[in-house]
Amino acid sequence: PNVDNNVLDFVDHSCHLQVNFSSNRDMGTSVKGMLQQLQVTFDADILLNLLEFYGFVTSVKSYNKRVLLSLNGIENNTTRLLSKAEYVGVNHERVMWDVSVFDISVIFPWRNTASEWSNMVIKSRSLCFKSKTGPESFLSEVGDQPYFLKNFSNTISTSKDCLGVRLQDLYNYFDVQLNDFKITIVNSDQSQKISILEKFCASFFMAFCLIPDESILKQLEVYVHMESLKVHFSPSIYGAFIELSTHLDSLLLRDESETLNCVYPPNIVSDASSYSTFGISVISRLGSVDLEVDLENRGDNSSVLMVSLQEIDVRYVHKCPSSICVGLFPL
């Protein structure tokens, strides 16, 4: 239980995790955690194994998902959506997250064409992941309603009030803060460092739909506020990405050959039909973007192309194949 007068001080600890269970349905469960100096080193083999494990975990459907899938047999769009909304409103328990990770360092090694090892080092000063209670945070950040509320059809909006289900209750909201994110390529003896992403600070506000296979609903909406972005590019960086791609392709081919020789249990079946529709909106506001391209054509006197952009608004809307989705979410 959450006892207000018994709060521990975790400032001097490198890691802490606090989970609060509440009997009040409106509050649900809250998870608060903090981790300092996260350092991870993994190669492509581990990455492929993690992706395979993730694919297996996502293929397992919970009881609630199976119930929602069973409602797809209702042909009327309004009736089907209201039935799913009513079920989600009664059975979904929200989990409030507040997790911060500081001093993140991820090292990804690979072998290049000269049979030498290179490392891609990804660092970030902090990554903060926090749940929000509703679209009010979106309104305060963007200054306007999110697409899934503003462009929803009047018929559905009117009908849902009869069931006591609000459209905004069908979404989970998250605020993600990423500070001082950097990407660097370093050779094995640390003698050469190539900066790819020198500076990147951004905040993301995301709304995830709780009904994953309904084309009439926007499945994901993302608002990105980027304070600054500085990127380097050169023939050396391009060559490093080609070598990394070649390394990954060789591992994928090896993995596919091993998969063909492996017999899987017959009850593990991939079902992608339930996620055949996916609508997404991304709204980005970029404070400053700097791109530096080193042509490396004359040694120390090589030419450099520098591009600087200020105050950019980018809006991307992916439309589902359904004609309903095209009508609901125009550009």
Side-chain angles (χ1 to χ4, degrees), residues 77-309:
N77 292 326
T78 302
T79 304
R80 182 180 66 252
L81 179 57
L82 292 177
S83 299
K84 291 183 178 182
E86 184 180 16
Y87 179 81
V88 169
V90 173
N91 294 276
H92 178 71
E93 181 181 354
R94 295 187 182 274
V95 179
M96 303 301 294
W97 295 87
D98 186 359
V99 179
S100 300
V101 185
F102 300 95
D103 297 331
I104 305 170
S105 178
V106 179
I107 302 175
F108 185 84
W110 80 90
R111 189 180 296 274
N112 57 27
T113 54
S115 297
E116 297 178 352
W117 285 100
S118 298
N119 296 315
M120 178 181 291
V121 181
I122 302 174
K123 291 187 176 182
S124 180
R125 182 167 57 89
S126 65
L127 173 63
C128 302
F129 179 83
K130 189 174 183 179
S131 298
K132 295 294 184 178
T133 55
E136 293 79 11
S137 300
F138 190 98
L139 182 62
S140 63
E141 291 288 342
V142 184
D144 197 1
Q145 281 188 333
Y147 273 151
F148 66 83
L149 285 179
K150 185 168 57 177
N151 296 315
F152 202 66
S153 65
N154 293 329
T155 302
I156 299 296
S157 299
T158 302
S159 302
K160 66 180 174 54
D161 294 333
C162 300
L163 293 175
V165 179
R166 300 180 304 170
L167 177 63
Q168 52 264 38
D169 293 336
L170 301 180
Y171 286 80
N172 278 331
Y173 306 93
F174 300 98
D175 186 14
V176 181
Q177 303 285 336
L178 186 62
N179 297 316
D180 290 343
F181 184 79
K182 301 178 181 180
I183 299 179
T184 307
I185 294 181
V186 184
N187 58 359
S188 56
D189 58 1
Q190 305 286 324
S191 62
Q192 184 180 9
K193 294 183 179 181
I194 303 175
S195 176
I196 300 176
L197 187 58
E198 180 180 341
K199 188 177 183 181
F200 179 62
C201 298
S203 60
F204 306 84
F205 181 84
M206 298 178 288
F208 291 90
C209 186
L210 298 174
I211 304 177
D213 59 336
E214 191 61 53
S215 62
I216 199 172
L217 293 176
K218 183 69 68 175
Q219 297 296 300
L220 172 63
E221 185 161 343
V222 182
Y223 170 73
V224 183
H225 178 69
M226 188 184 305
E227 297 179 4
S228 59
L229 174 65
K230 189 171 184 180
V231 182
H232 297 271
F233 190 75
S234 67
S236 300
I237 295 176
Y238 176 76
F241 276 112
I242 293 297
E243 292 175 346
L244 176 59
S245 177
T246 302
H247 180 70
L248 292 176
D249 288 341
S250 63
L251 291 175
L252 287 174
L253 290 175
R254 188 192 67 186
D255 184 67
E256 289 177 359
S257 62
E258 293 176 353
T259 301
L260 292 175
N261 298 326
C262 180
V263 179
Y264 287 96
N267 58 344
I268 300 180
V269 179
S270 176
D271 183 11
S273 60
S274 60
Y275 298 93
S276 58
T277 57
F278 191 87
I280 180 173
S281 297
V282 179
I283 304 173
S284 303
R285 291 185 177 178
L286 314 180
S288 63
V289 178
D290 295 321
L291 173 62
E292 182 177 304
V293 181
D294 188 351
L295 302 180
E296 297 180 348
N297 51 358
R298 294 182 181 177
D300 295 336
N301 297 322
S302 63
S303 302
V304 177
L305 173 65
M306 301 183 66
V307 180
S308 181
L309 304 173

